[in-house]
Amino acid sequence: MAEVLVAVGARPNFMKAAAVVAAAENAGLACTLLHTEQHYDDRLSRVFFEELGLRRPDISLGVRSGSHAVQTARVMLGFERELLRVDPAFVVVVGDVNSTLACALVAAKEHYPVAHVEAGLRCWDARMPEEVNRRLTDHLSQLLFTTSEDANANLEHEGIDGDRVAFVGNTMIDTLLAHLDRARERDAPHRFGLERHAYAVATLHRAENVDDPVVLSRLVAALAAVSQLLPVVAPLHPRTRSRLEAHGLSQLTGKVILTEPLGYLDFVGLVENAALVLTDSGGLQEETTALGVPCLTLRDSTERPVTVTHGTNVVVGTDPVRIVAAARHALEDPPQPVSLPPLWDGHTGGRIAGRISAAIVKEDAFVPAA
Ligand code: UD1
């Protein structure tokens, strides 16, 4: 019997799961890797498995894109079938995407214990689908692994029993540290014709930023203005590319260098050597903090306050005037990281595997979460 069923679905899940699967297998736990295929493009999925040494999924659900309800329901239907067949001792879900919640919900209803990696993050903006996913997943889980102590406080505030919560650090940073040398060897800035520490990297993909043409046009105008200060390279999520085209905004991008989505190693290589990152990604706020690269978050809030208090992150919102002013300021007087957040040390996967092993040994892991 497989002991642990690890479920992944979308790009940011793969870095986190890679650290968990490697550590679990080292600890002697058999893992079954299930991919919902919420992300199915090779550039959002296959390349990460190859570069992160994550083995091919044992099970693929072929869910692909759809409305929130359609996508979530398809994951639930496929996951229920496979969960009952595999019959694991534990289900591990990571992050806050639709697949995370869908798998956790099915597992809880079938009385399988769920471990949530990256629990307790809150931005307090319930309009974000990720906030709904993370809140509900936490309340369905028996083991909640947090990346920062503010997340423990959030969970306590929501009445979640502290015995279920373990502050373990950040699996995203495990994977970053494990692959940094290989990323450096590829010398991505040189291959993209960019001078080290003299360019910016930008990413945008959040629904609230790219689906509304008014917000998207303001953000594109902001990036175009920043590209007057230094070259801006922007690997485009397919969602963003299609929205730019659908809203007729492609011509507004000015001197911004648009690329296809990049693999993990080239992207990390570009970010490490950037003078500035502008993003709405959660993972990138964490990676820039670990790498000491100035980061402007193009949202009104962050669920990762430790990247502001300890790291290089400044939350600037979506107003172009404010973004350009913050970019100028960050280039002239780059924010210095205070310190690496506690336990962002490359050993989080091992702590998670140890805690899951102990829970399996206890055999009483399933206690209804609510
Ligand atoms: C999802 C997550 C988001 C995460 C992001 C990372 C949810 C609600 N959102 O957003 O939290 O930060 O992944 O990338 O789970 N598409 C493709 N190819 C793919 C996948 C998607 O072209 O392989 C396009 C499709 O047009 C699709 C759109 O992107 O409709 C949105 O995909 P979806 O999985 O719904 O959300 P993401 O925006 O990728």
Side-chain angles (χ1 to χ4, degrees), residues 18 87 107 125 134 141 331-332 341 354:
D87 191 27
D125 180 355
R134 39 175 107 94
S141 299
L331 292 171
E332 282 159 16

Side-chain angles (χ1 to χ4, degrees), residues 9-13 37-45 64-68 71-72 96-100 128-130 133-134 205-207 210-211 237-240 242-243 280-283:
R11 182 169 61 179
N13 291 165
E37 293 179 316
Q38 174 177 342
H39 282 179
Y40 48 90
D41 272 9
D42 283 351
R43 299 158 308 165
L44 297 189
S45 179
R64 301 174 77 100
S65 303
S67 69
H68 286 281
Q71 193 174 57
T72 306
D96 57 14
V97 303
N98 286 345
S99 298
T100 310
M128 285 185 68
E130 293 83 1
N133 292 340
R134 39 175 107 94
H205 74 278
R206 295 276 176 192
V210 304
D211 286 0
H237 187 293
R239 176 187 197 121
T240 311
S242 75
R243 297 299 188 274
D280 59 8
S281 149

Side-chain angles (χ1 to χ4, degrees), residues 15 51-52 171-189 196 264-274 284 286-293 340 344 346:
M15 303 77 154
E51 293 189 355
L52 300 178
T171 52
M172 191 75 130
I173 305 305
D174 281 21
T175 295
L176 178 67
L177 298 179
H179 292 86
L180 201 48
D181 285 344
R182 283 177 60 221
R184 286 174 180 155
E185 280 165 18
R186 293 166 70 100
D187 200 5
R196 282 169 203 278
Y264 182 74
L265 297 173
D266 277 346
F267 189 67
V268 165
L270 274 190
V271 167
E272 190 191 17
N273 291 289
L284 199 40
E286 298 178 340
E287 289 161 339
T288 48
T289 276
L291 294 169
V293 175
L340 216 53
W344 289 23

Side-chain angles (χ1 to χ4, degrees), residues 294-314:
C295 176
L296 303 181
T297 292
L298 310 182
R299 291 171 42 193
D300 294 326
S301 61
T302 180
E303 60 290 329
R304 292 163 162 89
V306 76
T307 61
V308 176
T309 54
H310 290 62
T312 50
N313 188 19
V314 183

Side-chain angles (χ1 to χ4, degrees), residues 17 28 79 82 89 94 100 136 146 165 186 189 211 227 271 305 320 323 347 350:
F79 188 71
E82 297 301 330
V94 299
T100 310
L136 295 179
T146 61
V165 182
R186 293 166 70 100
D211 286 0
S227 75
V271 167
I323 293 169
H347 301 294

Side-chain angles (χ1 to χ4, degrees), residues 142-180:
Q142 275 64 51
L143 273 181
L144 296 95
F145 294 115
T146 61
T147 53
S148 55
E149 283 159 304
D150 55 274
N152 289 52
N154 294 337
L155 294 170
E156 187 184 352
H157 179 71
E158 289 176 19
I160 290 181
D161 180 358
D163 289 349
R164 289 187 168 145
V165 182
F167 168 43
V168 291
N170 196 327
T171 52
M172 191 75 130
I173 305 305
D174 281 21
T175 295
L176 178 67
L177 298 179
H179 292 86
L180 201 48

